[in-house]
């Protein structure tokens, strides 16, 4: 019988110790208490990585929750929790830090607010942008309200222009143009934004580029590429406009630095520019000219806001348009039209916020197809208890945890969760509405909740009011909407069409 050399004995011993240690760790991991999304998740993160690369993450995690309950293990050190008290509270109200997932939003070597991990740095950055996005600013800024009415007229003209050639219109082009025009106007100021609404063929060209360029860029976001080699996922054309808008905003400020909000709203750019010095220099008044680092911070931040605002708004508008155009939802289109006729065409933020049917439709669309449908990852920096009663899991430090709107929004708190039922927000008891509100998570929660929520909602409400006051829409054979790519809700293209609807003018 052959005898083993000393080296072989030592090697075998090392392998045996490795196997036993690994087995011991796997069996004793506190995450053992969670149900596994796939048999392999105890040993490797390959299953969830594959879902990410193939852009099926949100749906795959949702299916796992449906099969396995509120706490699901996605990898050796990764959990998804579908609960308010046992998920949103410990993770997001508990201010667990973000993971490096958000690094992809950084440009010019400067992380924007969404990617800043330290709590103090995040608070400092938020002070530079929170005021212009505040509800009270948006509600009371008369110059911005007047600009929105002007843009609403442009929206009607854009639809009329499309109707001259066909009654079947790709509304996605219109929504893309609307989102770019309104978001860039607010961020960069009067005449500085990109007026795509006046050029729908160009909007279509860029929107097509956007969809073809996005997939490889998204994949790069989930591959282990060092941050320095990543650029934010905007397309070439988008980045170009954002630069041009920023240049125009800067020129406008140089030529009329003292312009007040009586004739012009305070753009996010000008607010940021005058408040940024304390972040970089700690003393002295704000400089008229930004330093190179300050320019990089402002550009990275606002580039991210543009992309964040556009992606989410077109997803929300697309879902809403599609749902309203289904034959089975016809009554909601009629009720909406009746309601919006009660306010003037130049309705203000405050007036639109008060319309119950409009807001129930918007909320229900965001519930069924939340633009940010997938998990918002955080990492435990201390031991944390997650999960509802009966499903509790003690999570040690260093574990990735998240919750996703797609699954929260299909909880049993919502009766018939897969159906479009705006009436749930109108006719339910106040206790029930409160409970549904707790589970409604389209804008996230905690200190990292969406800062652009009120701007996004006001632009969405205005587009919906403007379109369905004047036009009627019907589904065509080609329309199809689903929770699309990866973690965001998007219509899936069908023969090149996204939201092609039959449009008819019914109002003056
Ligand atoms: C329907 C419209 C919108 C939806 C559904 C939405 C959704 C969200 C969600 C879920 C988050 C949290 C992300 C996370 O923590 O992982 C977020 C964050 C953020 N959103 Fe929005 N968003 C919308 C519109 C906008 C607009 C219009 C802007 C700006 C123009 C904007 C800018 C941001 C920024 C800067 C953050 C990061 C906040 C922080 O980390 O403190 N969003 N958004």
């Amino acid at each position: 019988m052959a005898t083993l050399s000393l080296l072989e004995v030592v090697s075998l011993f090392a392998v045996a110790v490795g196997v036993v240690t690994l087995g011991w760790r796997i069996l004793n991991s506190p995450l053992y208490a969670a149900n596994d999304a796939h048999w392999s998740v105890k040993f490797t993160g390959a299953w969830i990585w594959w879902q990410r690369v193939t852009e099926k993450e949100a749906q795959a995690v949702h299916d796992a929750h449906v099969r396995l309950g509120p706490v699901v293990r996605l990898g050796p050190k990764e959990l998804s929790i579908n609960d308010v008290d046992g998920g949103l509270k410990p993770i997001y109200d508990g201010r667990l830090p973000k993971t490096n997932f958000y690094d992809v939003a950084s440009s010019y070597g400067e992380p924007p607010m969404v990617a800043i991990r330290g709590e103090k740095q995040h608070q400092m950055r938020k002070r530079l942008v929170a005021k212009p996005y505040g509800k009270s600013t948006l509600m009371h800024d008369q110059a911005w309200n007047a600009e929105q009415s002007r843009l609403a007229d442009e929206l009607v003209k854009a639809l009329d222009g499309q109707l001259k050639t066909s009654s079947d219109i790709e509304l996605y082009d219109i929504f893309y143009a609307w989102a770019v025009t309104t978001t860039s106007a607010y961020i960069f100021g009067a005449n500085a934004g990109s007026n795509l609404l006046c050029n729908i063929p160009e909007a279509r060209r860029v929107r097509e580029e956007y969809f073809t360029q996005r997939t490889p860029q998204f994949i790069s976001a989930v591959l282990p590429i060092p941050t320095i080699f990543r650029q934010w996922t905007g397309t070439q054309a988008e980045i170009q406009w954002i630069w041009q808008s920023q240049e125009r905003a800067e020129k406008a400020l140089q030529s009329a630095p003292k312009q007040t909000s009586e004739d012009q709203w305070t753009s996010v750019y000008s607010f940021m520019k005058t408040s940024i010095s304390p972040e970089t220099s700690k003393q002295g008044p704000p400089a008229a000219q930004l330093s190179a680092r300050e320019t990089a911070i402002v550009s990275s931040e606002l580039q991210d806001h543009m992309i964040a605002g556009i992606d989410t708004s077109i997803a929300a508008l697309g879902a809403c348009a599609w749902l309203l155009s289904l034959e089975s939802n016809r009554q909601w289109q009629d009720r909406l039209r009746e309601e919006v006729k009660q306010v003037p065409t130049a309705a203000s933020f405050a007036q639109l916020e008060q319309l119950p049917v409009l807001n129930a439709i918007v909320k229900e669309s965001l519930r069924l197809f939340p633009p940010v449908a997938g998990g918002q990852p955080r990492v435990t920096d201390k031991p944390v208890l997650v999960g509802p009663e009966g499903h509790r899991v003690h999570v040690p430090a260093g574990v990735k945890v998240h919750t996703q709107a797609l699954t929260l929004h299909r909880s049993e708190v919502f009766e018939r969760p897969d159906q479009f039922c705006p009436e749930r927000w109108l006719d339910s008891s106040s206790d029930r509405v409160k409970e549904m509100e707790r589970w409604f998570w389209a804008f996230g929660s905690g200190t990292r909740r969406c800062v652009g929520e009120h701007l996004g909602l006001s632009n969405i409400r205005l587009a919906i009011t403007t379109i369905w006051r004047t036009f009627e829409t019907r589904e065509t054979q080609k329309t199809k909407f689903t929770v699309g790519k990866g973690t965001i809700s998007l219509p899936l293209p069908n023969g090149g069409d996204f939201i092609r609807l039959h449009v008819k003018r019914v109002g003056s």
Side-chain angles (χ1 to χ4, degrees):
M1 202 173 108
T3 51
L4 296 175
S5 70
L6 183 64
L7 184 66
E8 285 167 333
V9 171
V10 171
S11 307
L12 276 176
F13 182 71
V15 170
V17 169
V19 169
V20 171
T21 311
L22 188 68
W24 190 86
R25 277 204 188 153
I26 289 167
L27 292 176
N28 282 283
S29 164
L31 305 189
Y32 194 66
N35 290 321
D36 296 343
H38 186 258
W39 63 264
S40 63
V41 301
K42 280 192 186 63
F43 318 99
T44 152
W47 179 81
I48 189 65
W49 185 83
W50 182 247
Q51 306 305 329
R52 282 183 186 132
V53 170
T54 53
E55 303 200 281
K56 296 195 177 108
E57 178 180 349
Q59 192 60 53
V61 173
H62 178 67
D63 294 345
H65 277 294
V66 171
R67 277 185 291 119
L68 303 163
V71 185
V72 174
R73 191 173 182 180
L74 306 177
K77 287 184 163 197
E78 184 165 354
L79 285 185
S80 173
I81 300 110
N82 182 42
D83 192 45
V84 173
D85 295 325
L88 296 189
K89 286 197 176 161
I91 301 173
Y92 302 94
D93 294 350
R95 302 177 176 200
L96 293 185
K98 286 192 165 183
T99 65
N100 64 358
F101 167 79
Y102 297 88
D103 289 354
V104 72
S106 297
S107 303
Y108 321 112
E110 290 293 343
M113 188 162 90
V114 73
I116 292 178
R117 281 180 232 163
E119 207 171 324
K120 204 165 159 223
Q121 290 92 320
H122 175 260
Q123 266 174 15
M124 278 175 73
R125 181 62 62 82
K126 200 165 175 177
R127 264 185 236 132
L128 301 186
V129 295
K131 191 162 183 266
Y133 287 125
K135 184 168 168 181
S136 139
T137 308
L138 283 153
M139 191 182 273
H140 297 115
D141 195 319
Q142 290 187 358
W144 174 245
N145 276 270
E147 175 67 0
Q148 278 193 312
S149 313
R150 191 189 69 76
L151 293 175
D153 290 342
E154 296 285 345
L155 179 59
V156 174
K157 280 188 209 150
L159 271 160
D160 277 336
Q162 294 295 295
L163 277 177
K164 281 185 191 144
T165 45
S166 168
S167 56
D168 284 357
I169 297 182
E170 174 54 89
L171 277 201
Y172 227 51
D173 297 336
I174 306 270
F175 292 150
Y176 188 70
W178 171 257
V180 172
T181 307
T182 51
T183 313
S184 65
Y186 194 71
I187 290 181
F188 296 108
N191 306 319
S194 310
N195 197 359
L196 264 198
L197 212 45
C198 291
N199 191 350
I200 299 300
E202 173 66 1
R204 177 171 312 129
R205 190 190 69 73
V206 183
R207 196 256 309 156
E208 278 165 4
E209 179 186 312
Y210 164 96
F211 278 101
T212 47
Q213 285 189 10
R214 272 301 158 95
T215 303
Q217 281 162 339
F218 170 78
I219 289 175
S220 86
V222 294
L223 291 175
I225 298 173
T227 313
I228 193 150
F229 296 119
R230 293 180 181 174
Q231 270 301 320
W232 176 225
T233 52
T235 64
Q236 291 309 315
E238 282 174 331
I239 304 293
Q240 206 183 335
W241 298 327
I242 299 171
W243 262 114
Q244 286 165 355
S245 297
Q246 191 166 325
E247 272 167 16
R248 284 195 290 267
E250 181 53 34
K251 267 194 201 137
L253 280 187
Q254 297 288 343
S255 60
K258 295 221 167 89
Q259 203 140 21
T260 63
S261 56
E262 281 154 35
D263 55 354
Q264 214 184 95
W265 61 98
T266 307
S267 66
V268 184
Y269 179 77
S270 74
F271 187 85
M272 222 187 148
K273 198 184 157 189
T274 49
S275 334
I276 192 167
S277 295
E279 183 174 325
T280 50
S281 66
K282 289 212 168 92
Q283 51 176 320
Q289 213 64 34
L290 295 181
S291 68
R293 163 127 201 264
E294 287 168 336
T295 306
I297 292 176
V298 173
S299 306
S300 173
E301 189 62 53
L302 297 184
Q303 201 161 301
D304 176 59
H305 293 205
M306 282 291 290
I307 311 283
I310 295 166
D311 279 12
T312 49
S313 302
I314 57 171
L317 285 167
C320 205
W322 178 68
L323 288 162
L324 281 175
S325 307
L326 295 178
E327 199 49 42
S328 52
N329 296 330
R330 199 185 172 124
Q331 55 142 332
W332 288 106
Q333 207 179 121
D334 297 341
R335 281 182 72 174
L336 174 66
R337 193 167 300 109
E338 280 312 303
E339 185 181 77
V340 300
K341 277 182 189 159
Q342 291 161 24
V343 290
T345 32
S348 64
F349 180 105
Q351 282 168 317
L352 294 183
E353 205 202 13
Q354 296 300 321
L355 298 181
V357 174
L358 168 69
N359 286 292
I361 289 172
V362 171
K363 201 153 198 180
E364 186 64 353
S365 307
L366 287 169
R367 184 192 69 78
L368 262 182
F369 296 111
V372 182
Q376 299 170 23
R378 305 292 190 262
V379 61
T380 52
D381 54 356
K382 54 184 180 288
V384 176
L385 184 64
V386 300
E389 222 179 303
H391 303 268
R392 296 248 200 270
V393 177
H394 290 270
V395 184
V399 173
K400 197 200 247 191
V401 282
H402 40 86
T403 295
Q404 60 173 18
L406 172 64
T407 310
L408 284 170
H409 288 184
R410 277 159 178 76
S411 122
E412 60 202 16
V413 170
F414 303 99
E415 271 173 40
R416 292 175 288 139
D418 289 320
Q419 288 180 26
F420 178 69
C421 303
E423 68 269 30
R424 73 174 85 245
W425 302 103
L426 295 168
D427 305 335
S428 305
S429 70
S430 61
D431 281 353
R432 183 140 203 106
V433 172
K434 254 189 220 150
E435 187 55 9
M436 292 190 296
E437 300 272 10
R438 266 171 27 94
W439 287 75
F440 180 80
W441 204 54
F443 296 97
S445 55
T447 49
R448 313 302 293 250
R449 188 184 172 106
C450 177
V451 75
E453 172 177 356
H454 300 297
L455 177 66
L457 273 177
S458 105
N459 286 338
I460 290 165
R461 285 190 202 116
L462 184 59
I464 292 171
T465 314
T466 306
I467 295 174
W468 280 279
R469 177 199 296 275
T470 314
F471 301 94
E472 192 181 78
T473 58
R474 294 274 169 264
E475 64 179 316
T476 64
Q477 288 292 314
K478 291 173 183 162
T479 312
K480 199 175 177 188
F481 200 97
T482 171
V483 176
K485 296 192 152 209
T487 57
I488 48 176
S489 292
L490 280 179
L492 289 178
N494 192 347
D497 291 332
F498 286 86
I499 307 281
R500 185 169 288 278
L501 298 174
H502 189 72
V503 180
K504 189 171 139 199
R505 208 180 213 284
V506 288
S508 51

